[in-house]
Amino acid sequence: MLLRRFTVGAAVAALCALAVPAQADTPSTPPGRITVDVVGVNGSGCPQGTAGVTTASDNTSFSVTYSNYLAQAGAGSGGTEFRKNCQLALQVHVPQGFTYAIARADYRGFAHLQRGAYGQQRANYYFQGMPQTARTNHQFGGPYSDNWQASDQTDYQDLVFAPCGEERNLNVNSELRVYAGTSNPQALSFMSMDSTDGSVSTVYHFEWKECPAAA
């Protein structure tokens, strides 16, 4: 079991970047210290030691950085290299009286897709013991050779919050797929979500909510 702890300092700024409908009462980010424990890492896209987590200093988000997350097809690629995935099990510890949901996720990477080839980025996240969220799918078609970005946004009324007063793992799943399609089978196509210098990361944005006062 892999265990890492990342600490966030106190913050009082509002969640400006995650504005919700006017009728929703959006609290400030919680005071105190937030920690994120990575308690499990599994998948071909994140071999041990190739995924890291950092938290924003204002308590609004956390970022996941990969250094070996690349799917490819064509040009001698192995039969399983067209699909890479990663599942992270996280424990997010928040100050008493608050709970959180994931309101938005921003995914980034680089893709080189031949004409006729295409790539897919898929993801979902859910709390331990609770129903999984729907798996989102973003598709990119060749010819394409550039950075790519995809975002998943959840409406406020559809957010799933962690149960108040309980610590449940947040499971974060992601996947990359590349298909040669009608492209030249001797030409390489690939799609990555990795960064050796930490400049490319997946960002998960929190939505905070105050828990009801104990009776």
Side-chain angles (χ1 to χ4, degrees):
M1 181 172 69
L2 178 63
L3 179 61
R4 300 175 185 167
R5 172 156 289 183
F6 302 89
T7 303
V8 183
V12 294
L15 270 173
C16 297
L18 296 178
V20 295
Q23 65 268 24
D25 184 15
T26 307
S28 298
T29 53
R33 298 169 63 86
I34 293 176
T35 61
V36 178
D37 293 341
V38 183
V39 297
V41 178
N42 186 44
S44 56
C46 53
Q48 186 170 353
T50 66
V53 177
T54 57
T55 45
S57 60
D58 59 1
N59 286 356
T60 61
S61 64
F62 68 90
S63 301
V64 181
T65 304
Y66 306 96
S67 61
N68 191 21
Y69 203 154
L70 181 145
Q72 60 184 17
S77 299
T80 62
E81 293 184 53
F82 80 97
R83 175 186 179 272
K84 294 295 178 71
N85 75 298
C86 183
Q87 176 170 314
L88 301 176
L90 309 173
Q91 286 186 353
V92 182
H93 305 286
V94 301
Q96 186 175 3
F98 283 85
T99 186
Y100 71 94
I102 301 299
R104 189 175 85 238
D106 299 324
Y107 305 92
R108 298 171 57 206
F110 184 85
H112 178 74
L113 303 170
Q114 304 291 340
R115 184 179 301 276
Y118 61 98
Q120 295 177 338
Q121 181 269 324
R122 303 178 178 184
N124 74 327
Y125 29 88
Y126 61 96
F127 293 107
Q128 180 182 13
M130 299 176 67
Q132 295 193 24
T133 59
R135 184 178 292 272
T136 59
N137 183 63
H138 301 278
Q139 185 156 311
F140 302 83
Y144 187 95
S145 187
D146 203 346
N147 296 322
W148 63 267
Q149 182 168 341
S151 295
D152 298 331
Q153 177 97 30
T154 303
D155 293 335
Y156 186 85
Q157 64 270 20
D158 296 325
L159 292 175
V160 178
F161 286 87
C164 285
E166 299 182 23
E167 285 195 354
R168 298 196 185 190
N169 289 350
L170 171 64
N171 295 306
V172 174
N173 301 322
S174 61
E175 181 179 341
L176 292 178
R177 295 190 180 209
V178 174
Y179 297 94
T182 60
S183 67
N184 182 346
Q186 301 305 313
L188 179 67
S189 293
F190 66 86
M191 192 170 179
S192 72
M193 197 158 55
D194 59 15
S195 171
T196 56
D197 61 1
S199 61
V200 176
S201 61
T202 298
V203 182
Y204 297 91
H205 300 266
F206 293 123
E207 179 70 37
W208 294 104
K209 183 172 72 173
E210 293 188 44
C211 294

